[in-house]
Amino acid sequence: MTINHRAEAERLLASADTSIAAALEATLPLADQQHAAVLTGIITNRALGHAMLAQGETAAADTSTHRAALIAWRNVVSHAVAWNLSFAETDEQHEPWLELAHQLERAGLDITADVDAITPQYGKDPRAVWKPPTVQREDHLRWCAEMPTPWSDPATTQDTTKQ
């Protein structure tokens, strides 16, 4: 029995669309969103495998289809990493997504710039999301302690312009 790799790749990419929609659905619990994001990556990787196998079966004109699949894959992964880094509440939730980004960078598939461009859409600072949540909270508390309030005594407030 032979497999039509192109048809299988298209079927899997259609399934990935559904999974990414679930991953980005804000009403679902965080664990379900993370599961959907990982499932999207797995389905997309399988689709890419079938697309590459189909490459030998298709004409050179289909190169644009493969390029589109790779762009879609990068977009899906970048959004999943950005969302999960932005909304991780514990270091344990944050670590796998940070590790995924580092592994992709080592493989020559750096998504850092994509994630940095996406995180402001979630109202997050692109520089801060790469830090674990505990460090982000410490930085915020330190900033709050250093910032004078309108009710602060000017004589006791340190002058930050002299630094």
Side-chain angles (χ1 to χ4, degrees):
M1 174 187 227
T2 61
I3 296 174
N4 182 343
H5 291 289
R6 180 183 174 129
E8 185 66 9
E10 290 173 355
R11 184 186 69 77
L12 288 168
L13 283 174
S15 296
D17 285 345
T18 306
S19 296
I20 193 61
L24 297 174
E25 179 59 46
T27 59
L28 290 176
L30 180 62
D32 290 346
Q33 292 172 345
Q34 289 175 336
H35 177 73
V38 170
L39 181 62
T40 300
I42 293 168
I43 291 172
T44 307
N45 282 339
R46 288 188 60 205
L48 289 173
H50 282 286
M52 290 178 164
L53 289 171
Q55 184 176 5
E57 301 170 359
T58 59
D62 287 337
T63 302
S64 63
T65 304
H66 298 150
R67 183 174 290 125
L70 287 171
I71 291 169
W73 174 84
R74 182 183 186 99
N75 189 34
V76 165
V77 171
S78 297
H79 275 83
V81 169
W83 193 91
N84 284 286
L85 287 178
S86 296
F87 294 106
E89 294 178 358
T90 65
D91 291 353
E92 291 78 20
Q93 291 173 341
H94 188 269
E95 181 60 32
W97 297 99
L98 185 63
E99 182 62 25
L100 174 61
H102 287 310
Q103 291 296 331
L104 288 171
E105 182 180 356
R106 286 187 200 123
L109 302 168
D110 191 11
I111 60 168
T112 304
D114 297 341
V115 171
D116 288 347
I118 294 166
T119 51
Q121 296 173 11
Y122 303 132
K124 302 294 182 173
D125 179 11
R127 295 172 309 232
V129 297
W130 296 102
K131 298 176 186 177
T134 53
V135 174
Q136 291 179 38
R137 284 190 285 276
E138 290 169 3
D139 288 349
H140 178 72
L141 291 174
R142 189 177 312 110
W143 180 83
C144 289
E146 293 172 359
M147 286 302 293
T149 66
W151 304 276
S152 298
D153 181 16
T156 61
T157 305
Q158 68 177 5
D159 187 2
T160 57
T161 59
K162 292 181 182 179
Q163 294 179 358

